[in-house]
Amino acid sequence: MSEDGLPPLREVIAAHGLQAKKSLGQNFLLDLNLTRRIARAAGPLDGATVLEIGPGPGGLTRGLLAEGAAKVIAVERDERCLPALAEIAAAYSGRLEVVDGDAMEIDEAALLSGVSGPIRVAANLPYNVGTAILVKWLRAETWPPFWSSLTLMFQREVAERIVAKPDSENYGRLSVLTQWRAEAKILFDVARSAFVPPPKITSSIVRLEPRAEPVAPARLADLERVTAAAFGQRRKMLRQSLKSVTADTEGVLNAAGIDPTRRAETLSIAEFAALARAIAPRNPI
Ligand code: SAM
């Protein structure tokens, strides 16, 4: 029996036949000390509702509840996990709601309507789903968004792209989109050996908090258009790489106050926003 009165995760997995499925990107965390550490990194949890995506057998879910989350709403698409999650819900009466669904399809506004207090998101998701859902949350039409913080597990290499600064190899579209609207930092790494089965590479916990206002004004669609073009040909000068988005590259770059011979990875986020503003009148949406 663990501290929370529930069986150890290894037994839960055996009892419910939850062999990890590769197709669902399943790598489970079994050490409740580690999941409590991740839960603390997602805090402060007092009075907070946590949206957890991909609880699986419930290691992180149990960490979040043990560390004092007022409520956890957990979205899982693998129906095999639901009976194990129901046992956690019974042990933490009224504090865990399990939603049988796909994180990419959920309507967070409907799911979280009526919640008072901060909403924090915590997730250990497969790499491709994690990045796609981060982008979905960063593209929210209204800002600040529904979340007060995101605490997410990524492959180390993706975490480095999220927090990368200009003039570095990892700086790219994901860095610009993320840091334009949020502050992001890598908190700590999680070794491959912490997972069952172990993934191929080290993972990292990244925490993001939304900025009240983006770094500099721009329309999201314009920002995404210029970063896609600029980083799509990252070794070329901007006067060349921006040709796919405007016929007047020199005019756009001059209007943004950017030397046309510079390359994408040298631009700050504020400079990308200036480029997005300069391109807007030339490409009315
Ligand atoms: N949170 C658990 C842990 O840390 O041990 C499980 C982590 S495992 C890497 C990822 C979990 O996300 C799996 O349970 C998987 O079924 C679930 N998952 C994958 N894609 C999903 C999606 N689109 N929506 C909801 N859950 C998903």
Side-chain angles (χ1 to χ4, degrees):
M1 215 45 86
S2 304
E3 229 178 274
D4 57 10
L6 289 159
L9 282 156
R10 204 170 285 282
E11 284 178 24
V12 173
I13 287 171
H16 293 279
L18 299 179
Q19 281 71 32
K21 273 195 192 169
K22 220 176 172 183
S23 60
L24 286 170
Q26 293 180 335
N27 304 91
F28 301 133
L29 292 173
L30 303 192
D31 177 355
L32 289 168
N33 289 319
L34 173 61
T35 63
R36 286 185 73 150
R37 182 172 177 219
I38 298 170
R40 286 194 297 277
L45 296 174
D46 262 6
T49 298
V50 180
L51 175 63
E52 187 194 353
I53 309 290
L60 180 55
T61 321
R62 286 165 64 173
L64 291 162
L65 290 162
E67 289 295 330
K71 176 141 194 187
V72 177
I73 301 176
V75 180
E76 173 58 63
R77 68 179 288 194
D78 183 356
E79 287 179 1
R80 297 179 311 155
C81 298
L82 302 181
L85 294 167
E87 288 174 7
I88 306 173
Y92 284 94
S93 144
R95 290 173 58 201
L96 172 62
E97 180 185 333
V98 180
V99 178
D100 172 7
D102 183 333
M104 293 306 293
E105 310 285 325
I106 52 165
D107 173 356
E108 291 88 358
L111 191 62
L112 299 162
S113 69
V115 168
S116 57
I119 297 167
R120 304 198 176 276
V121 177
N124 168 18
L125 277 169
Y127 149 71
N128 56 341
V129 182
T131 312
I133 204 160
L134 169 63
V135 169
K136 171 185 165 191
W137 288 329
L138 289 168
R139 280 186 180 148
E141 266 174 42
T142 50
W143 203 265
F146 73 88
W147 44 275
S148 315
S149 64
L150 304 177
T151 305
L152 309 173
M153 179 97 77
F154 287 101
Q155 291 180 346
R156 174 85 205 175
E157 168 249 321
V158 178
E160 280 168 357
R161 288 205 277 126
I162 291 171
V163 304
K165 298 293 174 207
D167 292 317
S168 69
E169 208 182 309
N170 290 321
Y171 187 58
R173 293 170 67 182
L174 191 58
S175 333
V176 176
L177 174 62
T178 304
Q179 296 170 46
W180 179 58
R181 282 188 144 176
E183 289 190 73
K185 57 178 172 214
I186 296 179
L187 297 186
F188 52 87
D189 288 344
V190 180
R192 301 168 52 232
S193 57
F195 299 87
V196 174
K200 288 204 178 75
I201 14 197
T202 303
S203 301
S204 303
I205 297 287
V206 179
R207 181 174 167 116
L208 297 100
E209 287 180 17
R211 298 182 193 278
E213 297 281 342
V215 164
R219 287 195 305 190
L220 174 64
D222 296 324
L223 185 71
E224 294 206 289
R225 196 177 305 127
V226 291
T227 54
F231 286 110
Q233 295 183 291
R234 62 186 296 143
R235 294 196 200 296
K236 299 222 165 114
M237 292 178 192
L238 290 163
R239 69 175 171 215
Q240 177 65 31
S241 57
L242 292 181
K243 277 188 179 161
S244 58
V245 282
T246 176
D248 182 18
T249 47
E250 301 268 344
V252 164
L253 286 157
N254 284 336
I258 295 167
D259 182 336
T261 64
R262 287 175 63 189
R263 292 175 172 77
E265 69 183 37
T266 70
L267 262 57
S268 66
I269 308 233
E271 286 176 318
F272 272 114
L275 255 187
R277 292 195 304 275
I279 217 156
R282 292 166 170 83
N283 288 286
I285 293 174

